[in-house]
Amino acid sequence: PLLLPPNAFAHLRRQAAALAALRPRMNDCCRHHSPLPCARRAWTDVLDGFCTDEFGVKTRQFHCCRRHGAA
């Protein structure tokens, strides 16, 4: 668990949650027959979810969430 005050730092909580979601997926990819495409899918899925969460709040979104496609 993060050691952040309970009433602030929501942006850091969202970032930490995305990294926490990525870890088990990357571990699974290491055992996959084609790890690189698996890792790319894991990263983009988690990043898409993170950006969806970012746009769901009224704060400034993380800079990478404003990019599209391969960017």
Side-chain angles (χ1 to χ4, degrees), residues 19 22 38 44 57:
L19 291 174
L22 183 62
C38 176
T44 56
V57 295

Side-chain angles (χ1 to χ4, degrees), residues 42-70:
W43 170 251
T44 56
D45 289 350
V46 168
L47 189 59
D48 286 345
F50 170 75
C51 289
T52 298
D53 291 345
E54 282 284 283
F55 284 112
V57 295
K58 292 182 178 182
T59 59
R60 187 174 182 191
Q61 289 78 32
F62 199 71
H63 65 89
C64 67
C65 292
R66 292 188 295 269
R67 296 180 182 200
H68 299 284

